[in-house]
Amino acid sequence: MRWPRGLDGLCYGGDYNPEQWPEQVWTTDLALMRQARVNLVTVGVFAWSRLEPQPGRYTVDWLDRVLDLLHQGGIKVVLATPTASPPPWFSLAHPDALPVTADGVRLHHGSRDTYCAAAPAYRDAARRIATMLARRYRDHPALAMWHVHNEYGTTCHCGHVAEAFRRWLRDRYGELGRLNEAWTGSFWSQCYSDWAQVTTPRATQYLANPTQVLDFRRFWSDELLAAYVEQRDILRRLTPDVPVTTNYVFGDWVPVDHARWAREVDLVAIDHYPSETDGRAEQQTALAADLARSWSRPAPAPAPAPAPAAAAHGGSGVPARPWLLMESAPGQIHQHADGVSYAKEPGRMLRHSLAHVARGSRGAMFFQWRASRGGAELYHSALVPHAGADSRAFRETVTLGEILARLGDIDAGAVTARAAIGWDAASGWALQHPGLPSRHISYADEVAAAHRALWHCGIVTDFACPAAVPPGAELDLSGYRMLVLPALYLMSDDLAASLGRWVHDGGHLVVSYLSGVADPSARVRLGGYPGALRDLLGVRSEEFLPLGPAGTVALTGGRTGRRWREAVELLGAEAVYDYVDGVLAGRPAVTRRPVGAGAAWYVSTRLDEPGYQELLAVVAAEAGVAPVLPTAPAGVEAVRRVAGESSWLFLFNHGSAQVTVRASGHDLLTGMTASGRVRLAPGGFVVLRQR
Ligand code: GAL
């Protein structure tokens, strides 16, 4: 991971789209950026039609002037390749490069992201424009980093994609017989006798083949990665000193395995737009930041290394590498899922930005600098709103710049977690298949529930990502004492074996339903659930008995389960909670098995929130994983970054009442010294420098 060239402290800024404005506005922009202490802007993300209005005719003088102006103002630039939005001339010249939906409809220009990432004409054009930009700006002093494309995430089902899919499948399976076997082709007469018969999972009569769908998503993530890598390699060749990244987008529709991609970017950069309406934006912020930090950890080396002491090794022992919140919304998102653009109340933008910094982001960047007056996202919020600089929003923009500037050398501090949650994009994709026993299980929701339980316990977590492990290497859990695996559905024998070794050596593992049930080809492991983990957990389930969306089941200890139930039999584990009602009354619901120096827990239903928290708090205590600030009152989030003898303690009051927290240190925001007590207003936060 490399840091943007020429930038030392925290980054502050966002997407800057000067091509939408007359040049007089640029001068005002610069003055306002300086007033707000903006030091980094992303330029050119959607500028292709302005940069190349006709095939091969480049008009870059305006971009020269923008970069010069920014440089004169001391502002660095993340220069984007504009390949997420080819100009209209491109789609007319190359209709075969327009994307095709699963039901065969070819889409047309008139929005953004309307291209097929596997079409040779698109890839050629993308390489050409990236080369042009790199040649022209390689020596520009404002250039700090490259931002390839924008939020890779579109799919296509055209002939180019089908061909590339077949090539990928040939590499994976070698011969068609192995594909037929992996895809269970003998079910519903789906055995292929020629590679040419294999297509992408297009619209079909009834349920699609689950492994075909899963392999398509794996393939498409790799294909998009290849498109990114092509551009990255051009940029690296022409500007070896300039780091290259792309911005990750969140969502279960995203066909990208970000953990796998992390090895190919110089800096993990995320865009994060949590829902403003479900009351979970603060925890979602923490989750996104924890994922980004975990994705940015170096992958373990392929050759198994001898295990040194936990503090110097493993997940959390590895020094944190920089990652960056590349986009977030200063206020309203252009439209929420329910059709309303909800506003972020005053102060929340500051709190969310600092929450990302607390968990390792080296700054806070936004979409976008100045609110557009037209175009599809004209009511999306911006650091400079439609009302202009004389506005509450811009005053907050200035305040955030002042706050970030006061945090000084904080980016030296690393976040250390001793607890981790498993993260596996492919398991999430596999669980989306409608053939599963319940359509009400969402992987993202299962992961979020585990994270939320630990977040409420005040425990900072990393994510352990099997997909980030290069071939031949092992998932490195040595820095962790506790690991939660929510619905890690697909499990290889190797992963199951390494989990077993880790638990035996003292790890505390909590496994939820739908983990280890299937092999990497999404075929059920036979002999009882949860297949790959049965022996380690000391349980065997014969049957799944999912509950309806509103269904509940009573458990001992006054707890309630939802969504899922299983007929669990103890084979070495002991019951912690039992089912109390229904057909499973008296059978174990939550179990624990001591294993070597550690323990393996199985949770066969979705515990109610207090129950999940209570359980994970018990496991954490057993594992010796402490909250960041055990005395923090409810509703206060505490996160610590540490560098040698120094540390920075972030405290956020997410509640609606004033609270007093027991803490001391130099308050970086007010310059005062806190000795023993810190008062936090509702929505208030503080950053204490401690020694
Ligand atoms: C992001 C995207 C931006 C903008 C923003 C607000 O996902 O990268 O270009 O569209 O959302 O909707």
Side-chain angles (χ1 to χ4, degrees):
M1 298 278 156
R2 291 182 299 155
W3 190 232
R5 195 170 64 161
L7 267 176
D8 291 327
L10 297 176
C11 300
Y12 182 38
D15 280 29
Y16 180 41
N17 299 307
E19 68 275 21
Q20 296 176 12
W21 300 97
E23 292 206 22
Q24 314 79 283
V25 178
W26 303 355
T27 328
T28 313
D29 282 335
L30 190 68
L32 294 178
M33 284 179 192
R34 290 178 61 81
Q35 185 186 342
R37 298 170 188 252
V38 161
N39 58 10
L40 186 67
V41 290
T42 308
V43 176
V45 179
F46 292 110
W48 197 341
S49 67
R50 290 292 304 271
L51 291 169
E52 191 182 1
Q54 287 165 10
R57 186 169 79 76
Y58 298 117
T59 49
V60 285
D61 45 317
W62 66 271
L63 186 55
D64 294 351
R65 291 198 294 284
V66 169
L67 263 58
D68 291 349
L69 189 70
L70 289 166
H71 175 61
Q72 284 153 23
I75 292 166
K76 294 283 176 193
V77 170
V78 181
L79 191 54
T81 65
T83 52
S85 219
W89 61 254
F90 174 80
S91 35
L92 291 174
H94 304 284
D96 68 307
L98 284 166
V100 174
T101 63
D103 37 17
V105 177
R106 203 175 271 283
L107 303 177
H108 290 275
H109 63 256
S111 180
R112 67 178 184 188
D113 291 305
T114 316
Y115 57 86
C116 164
Y122 168 77
R123 294 275 274 269
D124 284 352
R127 284 193 298 266
R128 273 198 306 274
I129 190 105
T131 308
M132 184 282 287
L133 287 168
R135 286 207 176 116
R136 184 147 191 110
Y137 297 109
R138 61 203 294 177
D139 297 321
H140 200 287
L143 177 63
M145 183 159 68
W146 290 106
H147 177 297
V148 172
H149 201 85
N150 189 64
E151 297 186 338
Y152 278 97
T154 50
T155 41
C156 176
H157 290 266
C158 74
H160 297 302
V161 176
E163 240 174 71
F165 186 36
R166 287 190 283 269
R167 278 197 299 274
W168 185 92
L169 291 168
R170 274 174 186 263
D171 275 356
R172 184 176 177 89
Y173 294 109
E175 51 186 74
L176 212 41
R178 291 187 53 217
L179 177 143
N180 285 329
E181 176 66 22
W183 289 15
T184 318
S186 42
F187 189 77
W188 284 352
S189 178
Q190 285 173 15
C191 285
Y192 297 93
S193 55
D194 191 312
W195 286 99
Q197 298 156 7
V198 183
T199 63
T200 67
R202 301 194 63 159
T204 188
Q205 185 65 13
Y206 185 41
L207 301 181
N209 181 307
T211 314
Q212 180 187 10
V213 175
L214 175 62
D215 273 349
F216 179 68
R217 295 195 79 159
R218 287 175 167 139
F219 145 74
W220 193 242
S221 177
D222 287 355
E223 185 65 28
L224 291 175
L225 182 60
Y228 160 78
V229 164
E230 263 173 32
Q231 289 197 43
R232 181 204 64 189
D233 289 351
I234 290 168
L235 302 170
R236 273 194 183 160
R237 187 165 42 77
L238 292 168
T239 57
D241 296 339
V242 183
V244 186
T245 191
T246 183
N247 48 341
Y248 291 0
V249 59
F250 288 86
D252 51 14
W253 54 273
V254 176
V256 166
D257 189 338
H258 294 125
R260 268 169 71 80
W261 280 49
R263 281 181 255 151
E264 307 294 344
V265 295
D266 289 328
L267 175 91
V268 166
I270 60 162
D271 296 353
H272 194 239
Y273 295 92
S275 161
E276 292 301 318
T277 54
D278 64 3
R280 292 180 169 166
E282 280 67 37
Q283 181 252 328
Q284 284 291 327
T285 298
L287 188 156
D290 289 343
L291 271 170
R293 189 183 63 252
S294 306
W295 288 330
S296 76
R297 289 195 188 287
H313 184 244
S316 198
V318 175
R321 294 190 300 185
W323 66 271
L324 182 63
L325 173 67
M326 185 64 94
E327 281 183 31
S328 60
Q332 280 165 309
I333 300 175
H334 70 100
Q335 209 172 74
H336 192 265
D338 70 359
V340 175
S341 300
Y342 294 98
K344 237 176 216 179
E345 72 268 23
R348 203 165 192 194
M349 173 267 241
L350 303 177
R351 196 151 43 107
H352 285 187
S353 302
L354 268 257
H356 278 288
V357 172
R359 286 171 193 265
S361 176
R362 283 203 172 172
M365 306 278 288
F366 293 85
F367 179 85
Q368 60 178 331
W369 165 252
R370 180 180 282 282
S372 306
R373 64 182 313 184
E377 295 187 327
L378 73 174
Y379 287 108
H380 191 286
S381 54
L383 293 170
V384 182
H386 288 149
D390 183 10
S391 58
R392 193 271 314 157
F394 185 70
R395 282 187 281 280
E396 250 186 62
T397 298
V398 173
T399 304
L400 181 55
E402 287 165 5
I403 290 177
L404 293 174
R406 280 187 215 147
L407 297 185
D409 54 351
I410 193 159
D411 59 298
V415 179
T416 300
R418 292 289 170 234
I421 296 173
W423 172 266
D424 180 39
S427 286
W429 297 337
L431 286 170
Q432 287 174 6
H433 193 267
L436 265 87
S438 168
R439 292 191 188 188
H440 304 286
I441 302 291
S442 136
Y443 180 67
D445 183 66
E446 296 300 325
V447 170
H451 186 271
R452 193 158 54 247
L454 286 165
W455 186 78
H456 280 297
C457 293
I459 292 170
V460 170
T461 50
D462 278 355
F463 283 88
C465 308
V469 178
E474 195 174 330
L475 182 65
D476 185 357
L477 297 170
S478 57
Y480 303 117
R481 300 191 183 126
M482 170 179 183
L483 173 68
V484 186
L485 294 185
L488 204 112
Y489 184 64
L490 307 173
M491 193 164 290
S492 66
D493 295 341
D494 287 350
L495 177 57
S498 58
L499 290 171
R501 284 192 291 274
W502 175 77
V503 176
H504 198 271
D505 291 347
H508 293 254
L509 177 70
V510 181
V511 173
S512 93
Y513 49 89
L514 285 171
S515 296
V517 166
D519 68 11
S521 295
R523 292 171 305 192
V524 173
R525 290 171 169 277
L526 303 179
Y529 314 118
L533 297 173
R534 229 167 29 220
D535 294 344
L536 176 60
L537 297 167
V539 295
R540 174 174 178 267
S541 293
E542 283 180 36
E543 282 178 66
F544 292 150
L545 295 93
L547 292 158
T552 58
V553 58
L555 310 176
T556 48
R559 293 289 161 226
T560 308
R562 289 175 201 280
R563 297 193 186 173
W564 200 260
R565 291 175 305 174
E566 285 177 25
V568 176
E569 180 191 348
L570 299 175
L571 292 177
E574 63 214 32
V576 179
Y577 293 135
D578 287 338
Y579 290 104
V580 167
D581 55 16
V583 288
L584 295 179
R587 299 192 68 150
V590 176
T591 67
R592 178 182 182 280
R593 176 176 174 239
V595 182
W601 299 67
Y602 188 53
V603 185
S604 71
T605 182
R606 173 69 162 283
L607 291 172
D608 56 84
E609 292 211 358
Y612 211 167
Q613 275 171 49
E614 187 183 87
L615 180 81
L616 294 191
V618 167
V619 178
E622 247 187 41
V625 176
V628 174
L629 192 68
T631 55
V636 171
E637 177 181 1
V639 188
R640 186 172 265 125
R641 291 181 71 161
V642 181
E645 297 297 301
S646 299
S647 76
W648 294 260
L649 177 66
F650 289 72
L651 298 171
F652 302 92
N653 178 10
H654 299 307
S656 52
Q658 177 172 292
V659 290
T660 303
V661 186
R662 279 166 50 193
S664 303
H666 176 65
D667 180 338
L668 291 177
L669 306 187
T670 62
M672 317 275 280
T673 298
S675 6
R677 289 158 141 255
V678 177
R679 245 198 293 280
L680 290 175
F685 51 83
V686 71
V687 187
L688 297 176
R689 178 88 195 240
Q690 304 179 314
R691 285 190 195 282

